[in-house]
């Protein structure tokens, strides 16, 4: 008996990285999983691989920037598996060459970033809630980011929209809790998904590691396992919360890594 046995799950951004991990782990724990992505070929490949392992999975196209496309993915899920119990609103991102500081940022990118990170969560949840009410409850999980808690030199739109995800999570939890619908978010720190590895110079990854409490960086499964927990009844008394999964990067006195270097050099 899996931890989410026979539950129906829709995962957005499931062809790669965190979404791929979550979809795989949910399927391994007994869920029937719909992998939604605008990389439909990638999503189909993952679904086929899961099926070969005897798991239940299928793929659907979604463009998380388009309302109708999100609605269609939700309806596809219910048409295919008869219900919707778990929604993982995971798609998100930004264009780091355009999402700059307040003065220099591209305003079109600000709008796109709000849409892909924040509005997509609103829309996915809006279309999922009536089906979850019909099913007697459900679990909605959103991907926020530690960028929604700590500000930075650039990625102003990204961080602001992810802070919005943290708060929207509480709104969804508040408004539908009595329908037995829970809503929680996960705020990852740096997770070495293909996107992160391709976008960040090795030196930047090294700097990140230096400031982690732990001696290593996060992997997609570090988030995927938390998704399974939030999707399952193991977390049944938890709602409106954001789990920070970030290797202790944002926890301590921010000068700790430099102080350690200083103390070591002077001992
Ligand atoms: N990787 C990190 O370090 C990190 C840290 C904090 C938060 N996050 C968040 O985690 C989530 C997943 O990130 P990831 O690193 O796994 O990224 P990723 O690029 O590896 O995967 C993202 C997936 O989403 C799909 N996608 C992108 N735009 C889409 C759209 N408009 N419609 C449908 N599908 C779309 C891509 O095809 C891809 O399969 C994002 O919300 C991101 O902001 C990531």
């Amino acid at each position: 008996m899996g931890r989410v046995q026979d539950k129906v799950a829709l995962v957005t951004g499931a062809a790669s990285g965190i979404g791929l991990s979550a979809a795989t782990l949910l399927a391994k724990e007994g869920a029937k999983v719909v992998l939604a992505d605008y990389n439909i070929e990638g999503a189909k490949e993952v679904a086929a691989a899961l099926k070969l392992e005897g798991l239940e999975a299928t793929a659907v196209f979604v463009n998380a920037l388009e309302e109708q496309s999100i609605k269609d993915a939700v309806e596809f899920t219910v048409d295919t598996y008869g219900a919707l119990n778990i929604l993982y609103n995971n798609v998100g991102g930004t264009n780091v060459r355009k999402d700059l500081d307040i003065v220099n940022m591209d305003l079109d990118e600000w709008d796109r970033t709000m849409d892909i990170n924040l509005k997509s969560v609103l829309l996915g949840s809006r279309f999922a809630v009536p089906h979850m009410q019909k099913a007697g409850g459900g679990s909605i999980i959103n991907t926020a980011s530690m960028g929604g808690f700590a500000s930075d030199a650039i990625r102003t739109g990204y961080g602001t929209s992810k802070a919005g995800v943290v708060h929207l999570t509480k709104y969804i939890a508040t408004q539908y809790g009595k329908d037995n619908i829970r809503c929680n978010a996960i705020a990852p720190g740096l997770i070495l998904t293909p996107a992160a590895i391709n976008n960040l110079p090795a030196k930047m990854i090294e700097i990140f590691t230096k400031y982690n409490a732990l001696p290593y960086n996060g992997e997609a499964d570090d988030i995927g396992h938390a998704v399974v927990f939030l999707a399952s009844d193991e977390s049944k008394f938890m709602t409106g919360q954001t789990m920070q999964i970030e290797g202790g990067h944002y926890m301590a006195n921010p000068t700790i890594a430099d102080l350690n270097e200083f103390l070591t050099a002077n001992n």
Side-chain angles (χ1 to χ4, degrees):
M1 183 79 172
R3 293 160 69 198
V4 284
Q5 193 64 44
D6 298 329
K7 300 279 187 202
V8 178
L10 171 60
V11 178
T12 69
S16 164
I18 290 169
L20 167 59
S21 163
T24 303
L25 293 173
L26 286 166
K28 287 186 172 167
E29 290 296 340
K32 301 168 187 168
V33 179
V34 174
L35 297 106
D37 208 292
Y38 70 2
N39 173 8
I40 183 62
E41 290 312 319
K44 277 183 178 167
E45 269 174 38
V46 179
L50 292 173
K51 277 193 160 162
L52 275 181
E53 287 184 51
L55 306 172
E56 191 52 62
T58 189
V60 68
F61 174 86
V62 74
N63 182 351
L65 288 166
E66 287 177 10
E67 177 177 350
Q68 187 60 44
S69 182
I70 296 175
K71 189 166 195 275
D72 290 346
V74 169
E75 295 310 322
F76 172 86
T77 304
V78 176
D79 290 346
T80 305
Y81 290 127
L84 177 59
N85 309 114
I86 297 159
L87 170 66
Y88 184 25
N89 288 310
N90 167 66
V91 166
T94 195
N95 181 338
V96 290
R97 279 170 292 280
K98 294 182 172 180
D99 184 2
L100 301 172
D101 61 278
I102 298 278
V103 170
N104 295 300
M105 82 170 302
D106 177 321
L107 290 180
D108 289 337
E109 182 58 20
W110 169 273
D111 290 343
R112 200 192 70 87
T113 301
M114 290 296 152
D115 285 352
I116 195 163
N117 291 327
L118 187 53
K119 195 174 180 189
S120 67
V121 172
L122 170 79
L123 292 172
S125 306
R126 176 194 189 97
F127 298 129
V129 159
H131 294 293
M132 291 184 173
Q133 286 169 323
K134 211 178 284 177
S139 177
I140 298 173
I141 301 144
N142 303 321
T143 304
S145 167
M146 287 309 297
F149 290 91
S151 55
D152 217 329
I154 60 166
R155 302 198 307 162
T156 311
Y158 182 77
T160 307
S161 61
K162 291 294 194 180
V165 171
V166 172
H167 206 52
L168 181 56
T169 296
K170 296 182 195 174
Y171 270 84
I172 299 164
T174 300
Q175 292 171 0
Y176 304 105
K178 296 291 192 213
D179 295 327
N180 206 18
I181 296 171
R182 299 184 298 111
C183 183
N184 293 287
I186 296 170
L190 177 62
I191 303 296
L192 294 182
T193 58
I197 293 168
N198 292 337
N199 286 330
L200 294 177
K203 182 67 193 168
M204 275 182 76
I205 294 178
E206 203 182 294
I207 292 170
F208 249 88
T209 320
K210 174 176 160 184
Y211 287 89
N212 288 349
L214 296 169
Y216 45 83
N217 286 301
E219 299 168 0
D221 281 357
D222 294 321
I223 307 303
H225 287 299
V227 171
V228 173
F229 169 70
L230 291 174
S232 78
D233 288 346
E234 292 160 16
S235 59
K236 74 181 175 51
F237 200 45
M238 183 174 169
T239 196
Q241 306 301 309
T242 297
M243 288 171 79
Q244 301 186 355
I245 303 180
E246 39 76 277
H249 188 91
Y250 299 81
M251 165 191 67
N253 175 350
T255 59
I256 189 80
D258 300 318
L259 284 174
N260 276 340
E261 278 178 7
F262 174 78
L263 291 171
T264 307
N266 288 281
N267 262 338

